[in-house]
Amino acid sequence: MATFDGSTGLLLHVRPDTGLDPDELTELTARLRAELLDDLDLTDAEPVEEESAPEDAKGLGSLAGVLLVHFVDLDMLRAVVTSVRNWVGRTGHVVELSYGGDTLKVTGVTAKQQETMIDDWLARHAAVP
């Protein structure tokens, strides 16, 4: 399990469209994590420990469904967001991505709408180290 220390990392919070129990949500999140690790050259993608959750993490509630993804540059951030968007499109679930206090909700809106929202969000983080 990862600890959240405020360093470079993208917080992913899976928000299922149905009332899943914590075990089902943990399994769903594990499938997203496995897909990210299989498809991308990530530094890390780990579940977040409850005691290390950021204080400003609005509405996290239970940490079932929360991953901390480490990446090295904007291209990798874009690749992670694209993979999450594709996963959301296939599963119908919602994922909230938070970076530097800025949150993007990836939902099942049209591809064009979601692409515009993602591009705007990524542009705000173009100075990623």
Side-chain angles (χ1 to χ4, degrees), residues 13-27:
H13 189 184
V14 177
R15 302 249 187 211
D17 61 349
T18 59
L20 298 179
D21 69 41
D23 290 336
E24 292 170 321
L25 181 55
T26 298
E27 176 59 32

Side-chain angles (χ1 to χ4, degrees), residues 10-110:
L10 177 66
L11 204 60
L12 303 181
H13 189 184
V14 177
R15 302 249 187 211
D17 61 349
T18 59
L20 298 179
D21 69 41
D23 290 336
E24 292 170 321
L25 181 55
T26 298
E27 176 59 32
L28 182 66
T29 305
R31 287 196 306 259
L32 172 59
R33 178 181 180 266
E35 186 171 315
L36 291 171
L37 291 173
D38 286 347
D39 294 348
L40 305 173
D41 186 24
L42 291 175
T43 305
D44 205 358
E46 295 295 326
V48 175
E49 295 177 359
E50 188 169 357
E51 60 272 6
S52 68
E55 287 183 29
D56 63 344
K58 301 177 281 188
L60 279 180
S62 168
L63 291 184
V66 180
L67 295 173
L68 180 62
V69 177
H70 293 277
F71 57 93
V72 295
D73 58 23
L74 183 61
D75 289 336
M76 183 56 65
L77 176 59
R78 183 175 296 280
V80 170
V81 173
T82 298
S83 287
V84 168
R85 181 185 66 190
N86 292 339
W87 186 84
V88 165
R90 286 192 315 277
T91 65
H93 297 293
V94 173
V95 177
E96 290 181 359
L97 296 84
S98 297
Y99 179 74
D102 189 12
T103 300
L104 170 68
K105 185 182 259 187
V106 181
T107 66
V109 297
T110 69

